[in-house]
Amino acid sequence: LGFGRKILILLLDRASKLDSLECFLEVRASNNAAISLYESTGFESIGRRKGYYPSEQGREDALIMSRILPIP
């Protein structure tokens, strides 16, 4: 239904109105749906945290993503 995208855009807009210059987030490396959403809204992967999240197989990496504000 696109609720995640709407909430993300709303939060980025609010952050921009509060004079934030950049937004950062972390996401599980296996969460392809979230990564796709973030990339489609201008986020880029800038790093990786090894073993950041617990998982059934032990630990899972987190991708660190960022984007410049304001929303274009």
Side-chain angles (χ1 to χ4, degrees):
L1 298 173
F3 291 123
R5 177 178 304 282
K6 289 177 185 177
I7 291 169
L8 178 60
I9 300 268
L10 175 69
L11 292 172
L12 292 172
D13 183 54
R14 293 237 172 123
S16 179
K17 287 177 180 172
L18 292 171
D19 296 327
S20 296
L21 301 176
E22 191 168 4
C23 183
F24 297 89
L25 59 83
E26 295 167 348
V27 61
R28 283 183 186 269
S30 65
N31 192 341
N32 294 323
I35 293 167
S36 178
L37 169 64
Y38 298 141
E39 288 177 340
S40 74
T41 57
F43 281 86
E44 296 181 352
S45 182
I46 60 167
R48 181 178 288 259
R49 294 183 197 256
K50 298 283 185 190
Y52 186 75
Y53 290 107
S55 73
E56 292 180 12
Q57 295 78 28
R59 306 291 296 176
E60 182 177 356
D61 293 354
L63 296 181
I64 304 167
M65 302 183 82
S66 75
R67 70 155 289 164
I68 303 298
L69 298 175
I71 297 173

